[in-house]
Amino acid sequence: MTAFRRGITCNRFIYNEQKQFPQASGEFSEILSQIVLAAKVVSREVNRAGLADIVGAAGATNVQGEDVQKLDLYANRHFIDAMSDNCHVSVIASEENEDIIRTDPERMLRPGKYAVAIDPLDGSSNIDVNVSIGTIFSIHRRITPGHDGGPADVLQRGDRQLAAGYVIYGSSTMLVYTVGRGVHGFTLDPSVGEFLLSHPNMQMPKQGSFYSINEGNFPYWAPKTREWVVALKGTENPAGKPNSLRYIGSLVADFHRTLFKGGIFAYPMDFKNPDKPRGKLRLLYEAAPIAMIAENAGGRATDGQRRILEIQPTELHERTPLFVGSEADVAFAERFHRDAG
Ligand code: AFP
């Protein structure tokens, strides 16, 4: 594995990685660099949110029927613009938009080779209370022929993602991403306006003693899920002791902690609507990118029965149950859910 010099900028890092592939055109690196730039701008706005009058519901609802807040709109517009300005992206799917966005093909000399899925501001219900929120992204190679792209370009299995990453707007802003060659973390130094390599080759502990779940949903879970959570609070579990509960309600923040400290984050299927049991998290914008990062850091991600990265999406806003984290803790969750149907 390459030795990485801490403190180099993210853009330099991306360029160095590109040089490992002499045939690379640099187009893919340009997309990553555009994401880095957009993340800096959104980070600035998140930090100013308490000052500027841009916090609060914008009055609209997104395609999931949730309140859209102003900062969501800002982040969505910014990431979409950043991707559209890049002539290598043909198709963008955003959690905030019902349909795919085709970047303007007229401006392109030739069809863009890539498709991007993005959750521009995840955990947005936490904005008002100054709790960490994040951006999640993934990049696919385009598979449709012709000049324009189509939904099929983003409706690809997670194991076909070329890159996945997130930005956490927390006590500091960090960008964590993988192109399948290790997971690397960069911390934004606001004084120079650059993401600097702070956490090369991140590895998730093989086993932890934290579980992260919205336990208020207990009455709506399947019996096997309840049994599993009860077991986590006992001694018959991988930690051999009651696990500690940590839950922020912002996937990026909950996953980020799990990546560092180990354990499991889960959003299982629930029966709030008994006729239509479902997971809450979105496969394309949340589960698949987070799963790619987890696996590349030595962790695992499953819907209880299937590896998240092997699920073929059929809809842009498809939801899935998600169990992600340390290998031993995800395997333990799977033991309860595998045969539950
Ligand atoms: P919001 O963006 O509406 O805050 O949803 C965040 C999220 O999609 C994900 O980031 C959290 O893990 C999960 O929902 C929290 O859901 P609950 O509020 O139901 O626990």
Side-chain angles (χ1 to χ4, degrees):
M1 181 68 72
T2 327
F4 299 107
R5 187 168 66 76
R6 279 173 205 265
I8 65 168
T9 66
C10 190
N11 284 332
R12 166 55 60 184
F13 182 90
I14 292 167
Y15 178 68
N16 287 352
E17 286 286 279
Q18 179 199 317
K19 282 198 299 191
Q20 310 286 322
F21 301 90
Q23 72 284 11
S25 62
E27 296 176 0
F28 181 69
S29 301
E30 270 185 49
I31 298 172
L32 285 173
S33 300
Q34 284 288 101
I35 291 173
V36 170
L37 180 61
K40 287 184 206 172
V41 177
V42 171
S43 174
R44 186 197 61 202
E45 291 307 308
V46 169
N47 287 333
R48 285 182 2 172
L51 298 169
D53 184 27
I54 56 172
V55 175
T61 52
N62 69 11
V63 291
Q64 319 285 344
E66 301 155 333
D67 277 350
V68 171
Q69 304 198 300
K70 288 178 186 173
L71 211 48
D72 298 36
L73 296 175
Y74 181 89
N76 193 36
R77 183 168 51 79
H78 222 84
F79 277 103
I80 289 172
D81 284 353
M83 292 302 96
S84 310
D85 288 345
N86 182 295
C87 300
H88 315 305
V89 177
S90 294
V91 172
I92 305 159
S94 165
E95 197 247 338
E96 295 289 346
N97 294 67
E98 188 148 6
D99 294 318
I100 56 160
I101 299 146
R102 289 187 179 83
T103 53
D104 182 359
E106 302 217 329
R107 289 183 310 157
M108 294 187 186
L109 301 173
R110 57 200 167 86
K113 289 194 298 201
Y114 299 98
V116 171
I118 193 141
D119 185 348
L121 214 57
D122 188 64
S124 50
S125 51
N126 280 321
I127 295 171
D128 283 347
V129 288
N130 218 343
V131 167
S132 299
I133 47 180
T135 296
I136 310 173
F137 63 90
S138 83
I139 306 176
H140 277 284
R141 186 176 298 283
R142 234 189 88 183
I143 52 173
T144 55
H147 210 288
D148 297 356
D153 295 318
V154 277
L155 291 174
Q156 300 192 56
R157 282 168 46 143
D159 55 5
R160 300 183 64 91
Q161 292 171 112
L162 300 176
Y166 63 81
V167 185
I168 177 165
Y169 310 100
S171 49
S172 54
T173 297
M174 263 189 86
L175 183 142
V176 174
Y177 86 94
T178 181
V179 293
R181 291 161 39 89
V183 175
H184 308 291
F186 302 81
T187 303
L188 183 64
D189 181 342
S191 64
V192 290
E194 290 283 5
F195 280 102
L196 305 178
L197 180 62
S198 50
H199 298 78
N201 280 328
M202 298 167 84
Q203 283 293 312
M204 194 181 290
K206 290 288 172 209
Q207 187 230 300
S209 55
F210 293 105
Y211 72 110
S212 183
I213 197 165
N214 183 346
E215 210 163 331
N217 288 332
F218 195 93
Y220 305 112
W221 289 334
K224 288 284 169 194
T225 306
R226 294 188 213 173
E227 266 177 51
W228 166 63
V229 170
V230 169
L232 290 176
K233 296 196 268 197
T235 51
E236 301 285 312
N237 57 55
K241 61 175 186 182
N243 286 246
S244 295
L245 172 66
R246 298 278 186 276
Y247 192 70
I248 296 169
S250 179
L251 173 63
V252 172
D254 280 314
F255 176 72
H256 191 67
R257 184 198 51 253
T258 306
L259 179 58
F260 276 79
K261 306 275 188 200
I264 190 164
F265 167 86
Y267 211 109
M269 176 180 286
D270 65 54
F271 290 75
K272 277 182 190 154
N273 178 351
D275 299 331
K276 216 177 156 203
R278 61 166 202 187
K280 177 183 178 187
L281 303 183
R282 293 74 167 174
L283 178 57
L284 281 186
Y285 315 105
E286 297 178 305
I290 291 294
M292 182 178 181
I293 298 164
E295 288 201 4
N296 276 277
R300 288 185 55 192
T302 169
D303 70 351
Q305 285 152 17
R306 294 169 295 175
R307 186 175 162 235
I308 291 288
L309 294 183
E310 289 178 6
I311 302 175
Q312 172 63 53
T314 53
E315 289 170 27
L316 285 179
H317 296 283
E318 184 169 335
R319 296 175 191 253
T320 178
L322 174 65
F323 300 82
V324 61
S326 297
E327 202 178 318
D329 298 289
V330 175
F332 186 64
E334 247 173 359
R335 269 186 18 214
F336 288 80
H337 293 89
R338 196 178 293 128
D339 304 321

